[in-house]
Every structure is written in C-alpha cells, then in structure tokens.
Amino acid sequence: MSKLKEKFLKSEKLEVELYDIHAHIGGYNRDYPVFDGESRKIIEEMDRLNIKKAIVMPLGVYGTEWFYQNEKLINDCKKYSERLVGFCLVNLNYPEKVIGKEITRCRDEGIRGIKLIASYQNCEDTDKKTEYVCEYANHYKMPILNHNWGNPDFLEKMVKKYQYIQYICGHFSFIWKDVVNNYENVWLCTCNYLGFGTVEKMVNEIRNDRICWGSDFSDLHFGFTLGPILLSSISDEIKIKIISENTKNLIERYCI
Amino acid sequence: MEFFDIKSGIGVFSKPTGYTEPEELLRIMKNYSIKKSLVYHALSREISPVEGNKILIEKIKEFENLIPVYGLLPRNSGDIENFERYIEKAIKDGVKSFLITYNTFKIPLSHYLYSETLEILNEFKLPVIIDPTLPFSNWQVDSGDWQSIRLICEKYPDLPVIFTEFRTRYHIRIVIDFIKNYKNFYYDVGSCWNYRVVEKLVGIKNGENLVLGTNLPFSEPGQSLGMILCSDISESIKKKIAYGNIEKIIVKNE
C-alpha cells in the first residue's frame, strides 16, 4: 500500500510539506457560517496539516465591498507573509479603469496574483473585461486564478495572446485537459466534486507537473479535497507532485 | 481506520458507473478500508423499489458485509398489497434500514408521515434514510424538506432518522439546529463539504448523531472518508462516525 495512503488512513500527520494552490480567507460567507475562519486559526490548521504555503483570495467573492475584502487580504498576507500568497479579487461589474486601479493598489501592497470569478458576480466568464484583466496581468507578469475560464477556446485564446501570465484553472474539469497539456503556463487545480475514479483518470490523461492540489479552504473541508488524492491508487511520487512540488514551483517561480 | 458506509448502490444505473456487481463493490470497499456497507439497488433508486428490493436480496445474500437497504414507497400507494407483511418479510430477509427517496417518485415527504408508512418502522426502530437527491441530478444542493423531517422526528422520537443528500451547503444552518434538538436525527457528514463542518457538528453532541456515506458508485469515496480522517477531532470520535454510530443503531435492532 502507498505509504501516504497508509499514513492518511491512520490519521497521521504527513511528513511532506503541502502547498495549496487555491484557498480563501476572510471569515464570513453568505452561504454558511465559517467555522474557525479567523486567519490565526487558519494558520494553526495549516500547521496541523503541515501546509507550508497557500495561495489565498478573499472568501467573499460576490463582489460586495471588494476593496474592503482585498484590504483584509492584504493585511493577512503581510501578517503571515511566510505562509500566505495573496491573489486580489476583481469585481467584473466595475469599469476597467476602476479594476486596473484596484489591482495596482493591491500589487503595490504585495499582492502577487489575481482572482476572477465572473459567474458569482452575474458576469460572463468570457466578457471583454476578463481580457482586460489578462492584458493588465500580462504586462506585470501576474498569475491569474479563474474560477472558470468559460471554455477551452477562450482560455487558449488568452494563453496565445498573453504569454507572460501563469493561468490557473480554479476548479478541476477534463475540459481543460488539452490546454493544460499543450502549454507550459497553464495549471490545473484539483478542487471540485470528483466522481468515482477521477483521480486515476486525471493522472493518466493530464501532464502530472501541472496538476496542483487546491483545498478551497475556508470554503471546503481539507479532507474533501485531500482524501481523493491520498486514498487513490496513483503512486506516492505523483501524489507528492500534486500536493506539494507543483504548486511550490509555481509559487517560487512566478509569485515573487 | 475502518468504515461503515451508509450509502452505496449496486446494479446498472441510468448513467454508466465504475462498477455494477456486488463483488466489484467489495473490492472497492477493501481498497478504501470500508468494512461494511448499507446497499441499495439501482432499480429501487431509479424505477421501482418493489422490483429492485427483490433483486437486491438475491444479489447480495452471500455477502455478509453488504447489508440490504430497501427502497420505500408509501403505505397504500398501490405498489404493495400488504405493506406490514412486506416490511416483516424484509426484516426476515436481513434488511436493516429503509431508504426514502421521495423526489424520485414525486411524492411529498409529508405523505410518508400522514399515510402512516413509518408506523411499522417505528415499531421495529428500523432506521429510515431520507435522501431528497434526484437520481439524474448532477449537482443538487440543499434539497431537504425540513418541515417534514421535523414532523417525523417529533412524531417518532425513537425512530432513527438519517438524512443524506448530494450536498448540503446553505442548509447546514438548519442541520446544526436539528442535531441540537432531535436526538433521533442523524446526519451523513459526507453530504456537507464545508470548511471544518465535521469539527463543528462533533462539538454539538460529541459526534453521536453523525454517520458516513460515500455515495458510491457515483462519488469518489476519498471525499467523505477524507473529511473524517483529516478532521481535528479525537480518534475515538472519528471511529464512532466512521463505524460505531451506524453499527450501534443496527445492532440495537437485531
């Protein structure tokens, strides 16, 4: 049996340091009460599970008070700069000028990347403002994590046009397979509801150096996203790439 | 850690699945350290409990770690001639719990209450599993009929009522209240994926009212198993949720 699986089944702490490509902080959400959502407690939880670093975005993604949400993020990322890598929230309902000004403000305060989530803001994933954000990010070589890039054609169009961006698909789907496999700068987060057998299929069909574990904390339970990887029948070597090495590479090379 | 799964199915479903036969399910269970499962049949879930229940009993009779769950239609529905006799026969055949998937048959959950369907189950204290998820649904969230579940819990305070669904998100605020107020209400933690939800629910009654469902053959079992294994709770409570609580309910009825 895989050593990682064996340890996980015994609820033992993993020796490998985890890197999380998709997480949220902020403490409050419309959909449910966020239990132990204070940043200090989240850091304690990261310690408990041996999570070295996480890419974090505001939890309140709907766009309400998005400057305030980003301000909270900036403060937490400064406070826990060794653990949290901040990606600022963009509200696509606002004019391009306002969006650009807010990203610049966040960038000046140490934020490394951009988070897009058009559908939660009643916007189209493929709206021209998404392209505006890509144009901006390309200029400053900022990574973008998008909840949904709309469709593979749109993502590929952006990838070809704006080559200095690291594109992160925020939620797993096989629809991104070809774009991830064909380009160096497209990364795929594992976070999503997964049907039976998905992890093994994922690893067989998608380049293993671009599959990155995302917990989606403090939205989702750590076990919901870690369990399928650690209990799967893929090798420990690939498990370590997914839960640790790939995101570590992304952060160290492109989130500086 | 060993697990006792409260929700897995066998048979050929309307959508292709990774396995169909009980032997295959047993192999998967072994791989995930799942020792026992409460099992229903695809026909019970998607077309007819009367036909599916019958096939289920035949299919799994030789496998002691697969425990049959009967799909349940309401009393006087026209499907079963003598409801009480049907339930008594099911119990003789080793059935340990009954699954109510009322939305599949477009029957209000409250009708199960008012048609006195639950009277005989209450007599035997057989757990009732309530799942509002539609069989063809890919992404059905927060579907519980909480008013009816409340009435069931209140009318039959000694009947174990287990709630499970594809996903609870907003309704976790209601689930918390139910766990606090109804000692016969049980919740499948595999239904809610929210951050630190297991820890929060355990904090209410020490994990006594929590059980675990994998939703095989549809879902990746690591999702619900992982939520127990990863939780910031004691080993003894993990074991209760993973195995002990459902075993206790079932053994009590033997």
Side-chain angles (χ1 to χ4, degrees):
Chain A
M1 188 193 281
S2 141
K3 279 184 184 163
L4 285 170
K5 181 176 175 178
E6 204 175 338
K7 265 188 172 296
F8 192 64
L9 278 171
K10 288 179 186 165
S11 291
E12 288 176 9
K13 189 172 179 173
L14 303 177
E15 280 151 22
V16 54
E17 284 181 334
L18 308 190
Y19 284 77
D20 188 344
I21 200 171
H22 182 166
H24 297 269
I25 51 175
Y28 298 92
N29 201 339
R30 176 192 71 187
D31 304 5
Y32 51 84
V34 182
F35 309 120
D36 303 314
E38 303 92 324
S39 304
R40 179 184 55 80
K41 289 191 174 171
I42 284 172
I43 296 292
E44 284 172 14
E45 185 72 341
M46 287 171 69
D47 289 340
R48 184 177 75 82
L49 296 166
N50 207 15
I51 300 166
K52 177 84 171 167
K53 276 190 183 182
I55 290 177
V56 289
M57 298 151 272
L59 183 58
V61 293
Y62 298 95
T64 312
E65 288 285 359
W66 59 299
F67 312 120
Y68 163 72
Q69 305 279 4
N70 284 331
E71 191 57 28
K72 285 200 297 179
L73 179 84
I74 288 165
N75 291 335
D76 283 332
C77 289
K78 281 182 181 170
K79 192 171 177 184
Y80 301 106
S81 59
E82 297 298 308
R83 313 297 295 281
L84 306 177
V85 180
F87 279 31
C88 63
L89 177 72
V90 166
N91 181 341
L92 290 169
N93 288 297
Y94 280 70
E96 290 175 0
K97 203 175 155 186
V98 177
I99 290 171
K101 194 178 164 193
E102 175 62 359
I103 304 173
T104 301
R105 179 183 81 85
C106 292
R107 196 165 47 77
D108 289 345
E109 295 282 2
I111 291 301
R112 307 294 187 207
I114 298 165
K115 156 79 169 183
L116 293 175
I117 184 160
S119 60
Y120 279 55
Q121 299 164 352
N122 285 320
C123 297
E124 289 294 320
D125 291 312
T126 55
D127 191 89
K128 64 181 173 61
K129 282 187 200 158
T130 301
E131 178 154 4
Y132 166 76
V133 173
C134 289
E135 194 183 338
Y136 181 104
N138 193 58
H139 183 76
Y140 293 102
K141 298 182 176 161
M142 291 176 86
I144 302 176
L145 186 150
N146 197 339
H147 175 78
N148 185 353
W149 285 102
N151 61 67
D153 290 344
F154 179 75
L155 174 58
E156 189 167 25
K157 186 179 141 192
M158 293 300 108
V159 173
K160 280 182 174 168
K161 197 166 173 184
Y162 305 108
Q163 296 175 8
Y164 294 117
I165 298 172
Q166 299 304 309
Y167 295 84
I168 304 168
C169 305
H171 292 282
F172 176 78
S173 166
F174 284 105
I175 67 165
W176 311 119
K177 181 178 83 172
D178 291 339
V179 193
V180 175
N181 284 339
N182 294 335
Y183 296 89
E184 286 297 310
N185 53 336
V186 186
W187 308 72
L188 184 54
C189 173
T190 56
C191 173
N192 209 338
Y193 160 77
L194 304 177
F196 177 63
T198 298
V199 175
E200 289 79 2
K201 188 170 185 263
M202 181 194 303
V203 162
N204 279 335
E205 296 187 7
I206 300 170
R207 57 186 288 184
N208 297 170
D209 62 346
R210 289 295 181 272
I211 304 171
C212 302
W213 166 64
S215 72
D216 211 351
F217 83 68
S218 48
D219 186 333
L220 300 184
H221 198 282
F222 277 114
F224 182 76
T225 54
L226 267 180
I229 298 164
L230 294 172
L231 296 177
S232 73
S233 56
I234 64 175
S235 70
D236 276 359
E237 190 190 345
I238 297 174
K239 282 178 189 171
I240 290 168
K241 277 187 177 182
I242 294 172
I243 61 175
S244 181
E245 289 171 0
N246 294 344
T247 302
K248 185 174 188 259
N249 287 340
L250 171 73
I251 290 173
E252 286 178 355
R253 290 175 63 190
Y254 301 108
C255 300
I256 44 172
Chain B
M1 182 83 60
E2 284 187 328
F3 298 93
F4 194 144
D5 180 9
I6 68 131
K7 187 166 70 172
S8 58
I10 59 163
V12 178
F13 287 84
S14 53
K15 284 183 182 171
T17 52
Y19 71 90
T20 56
E21 298 304 310
E23 294 86 348
E24 294 172 285
L25 171 60
L26 282 163
R27 276 198 293 276
I28 292 161
M29 285 164 57
K30 194 178 172 194
N31 194 31
Y32 284 91
S33 193
I34 301 167
K35 192 175 173 190
K36 289 184 181 178
S37 288
L38 292 176
V39 182
Y40 64 86
H41 194 271
L43 281 171
S44 303
R45 186 73 183 82
E46 298 190 344
I47 296 184
S48 163
V50 180
E51 190 177 24
N53 294 340
K54 200 172 155 187
I55 294 171
L56 175 76
I57 291 293
E58 274 307 303
K59 279 265 184 193
I60 67 170
K61 65 183 176 192
E62 285 169 19
F63 307 111
E64 60 176 336
N65 289 340
L66 302 182
I67 300 156
V69 174
Y70 263 24
L72 195 67
L73 287 160
R75 193 165 174 270
N76 299 327
S77 67
D79 295 272
I80 300 158
E81 215 154 281
N82 187 322
F83 187 77
E84 281 73 19
R85 200 178 299 160
Y86 183 76
I87 299 296
E88 281 164 10
K89 169 86 169 48
I91 295 166
K92 272 186 196 160
D93 287 340
V95 172
K96 300 291 184 198
S97 64
F98 291 83
L99 175 64
I100 297 180
T101 55
Y102 56 100
N103 280 331
T104 306
F105 309 105
K106 298 190 186 294
I107 296 167
L109 179 58
S110 58
H111 183 67
Y112 282 81
L113 181 71
Y114 293 113
S115 61
E116 299 186 338
T117 304
L118 305 176
E119 288 293 327
I120 187 164
L121 305 185
N122 185 49
E123 211 176 287
F124 290 100
K125 302 291 174 281
L126 290 168
V128 176
I129 301 171
I130 297 173
D131 186 350
T133 314
L134 282 164
F136 313 106
S137 132
N138 270 334
W139 196 265
Q140 192 182 329
V141 181
D142 297 314
S143 307
D145 172 359
W146 296 104
Q147 179 59 9
S148 297
I149 298 169
R150 188 184 298 279
L151 291 170
I152 292 168
C153 288
E154 284 173 358
K155 187 169 180 189
Y156 303 109
D158 297 320
L159 175 71
V161 177
I162 301 171
F163 181 78
T164 179
E165 66 179 328
F166 173 72
R167 185 181 187 186
T168 307
R169 188 167 166 90
Y170 289 69
H171 283 185
I172 196 62
R173 290 176 168 124
I174 301 172
V175 170
I176 290 169
D177 181 70
F178 268 65
I179 291 176
K180 274 186 182 157
N181 288 312
Y182 299 108
K183 68 175 174 56
N184 56 329
F185 177 78
Y186 291 81
Y187 183 69
D188 165 18
V189 292
S191 304
C192 187
W193 321 335
N194 294 356
Y195 182 69
R196 281 184 70 89
V197 68
V198 179
E199 290 85 339
K200 174 66 184 179
L201 298 181
V202 162
I204 301 169
K205 275 189 187 162
N206 222 17
E208 298 293 338
N209 290 46
L210 304 177
V211 293
L212 172 93
T214 62
N215 196 30
L216 275 165
F218 305 105
S219 302
E220 169 52 48
Q223 290 166 143
S224 44
L225 270 50
M227 284 177 49
I228 293 180
L229 294 167
C230 240
S231 282
D232 187 15
I233 54 177
S234 71
E235 280 303 294
S236 61
I237 293 176
K238 281 183 187 176
K239 282 179 183 167
K240 278 202 292 194
I241 304 169
Y243 203 100
N245 289 342
I246 187 66
E247 188 189 40
K248 203 166 138 189
I249 300 171
I250 283 171
V251 167
K252 206 156 70 177
N253 296 306
E254 283 181 345

